Every structure is written in C-alpha cells, then in structure tokens.
Amino acid sequence: MPWKKETPAGRPAARSTRIESRSRSEVWRKPPRRIEPSECIQCDMCVRNCPPEFGAIFDRGLDVVIVPELCSGCPVCVLVCPVDCIYVDAEWAPTGGVMWNHVALTAGG
Ligand code: SF4
Ligand code: SF4
C-alpha cells in the first residue's frame, strides 16, 4: 500500500508504520500527552477528537489511555477534555506488549 512505503525525509511515518515499529516519530517536536486516570470521567471526547492520522487514544473499558508512540502532542484532546485531565508526558515510558496487542485488535493496526 502506498502509505507503507518510506516517507520523504522530514515527514512522519504513517500511523500503521508506527504501530508496526512500535516507535514514535522522531519528527514530532512536542512531547506526548497522558491522561490522569484519577481525574478522567471517561466521556470519550478525547477518543472521538484525536485526529485519525494519530489515533492515539483508547478506551479500554476501565480507563482511557494515550499510547505515547502514536501521540504527536498536537494537542486537540487537551482542548476538548471537559475536566482538563490531560497532561504533558515528557518522561513517557514505552508502551508494553499487552497494550500494543490491544491497539492491533481495536485499530486494525
Ligand atoms: S495530543 Fe493530539 S495526537 Fe496526542 S492524544 Fe491528544 S489529540 Fe491525539
Ligand atoms: S476527554 Fe478527558 S475526561 Fe473525557 S475521556 Fe478523555 S481524558 Fe477522560
């Protein structure tokens, strides 16, 4: 598929490529965001508004989480969150295998 080919220098890879490589784009200058679970009311506004080319937010039922490798830090979700519980995550940790499996299953990644 065309979007799976290498991208021109300086452009971020497609979301599907980021999921395959489980890595964040080095082109993105902003740090990713994280959701504070103790403050989140699970309204899913952020899930619905995260741009599809990023698709970084997942409602897992018990919580709503951002996969930092998929999050550009744009930050649309911050603007729509009614309780202001999405924070900069400069010290983000790599996403674990269980969550990547969830991403692949729910996002067709
Ligand atoms: S900052 Fe942007 S890319 Fe990251 S989770 Fe929020 S809406 Fe999605
Ligand atoms: S918009 Fe805010 S309160 Fe709603 S699910 Fe997202 S992080 Fe939670």
Side-chain angles (χ1 to χ4, degrees):
M1 296 185 207
W3 65 82
K4 293 214 173 187
K5 290 179 180 171
E6 286 187 16
T7 57
R11 294 193 59 194
R15 180 175 182 272
S16 58
T17 303
R18 290 195 289 278
I19 292 173
E20 284 175 15
S21 64
R22 301 186 174 186
S23 60
R24 195 165 188 264
S25 173
E26 295 178 0
V27 178
W28 291 340
R29 296 289 178 215
K30 295 176 183 173
R33 301 279 174 158
R34 70 169 182 87
I35 294 169
E36 173 49 50
S38 66
E39 299 172 21
C40 174
I41 59 172
Q42 291 185 252
C43 67
D44 278 0
M45 280 293 287
C46 56
V47 179
R48 289 196 292 272
N49 284 277
C50 181
E53 64 266 36
F54 305 132
I57 313 180
F58 298 83
D59 186 337
R60 300 189 295 187
L62 294 176
D63 58 7
V64 181
V65 297
I66 293 174
V67 172
E69 288 89 342
L70 302 180
C71 171
S72 70
C74 64
V76 171
C77 58
V78 176
L79 303 177
V80 300
C81 177
V83 295
D84 201 18
C85 69
I86 304 177
Y87 301 93
V88 169
D89 190 12
E91 307 297 321
W92 63 279
T95 299
V98 171
M99 185 61 207
W100 280 118
N101 290 340
H102 181 83
V103 170
L105 285 172
T106 59

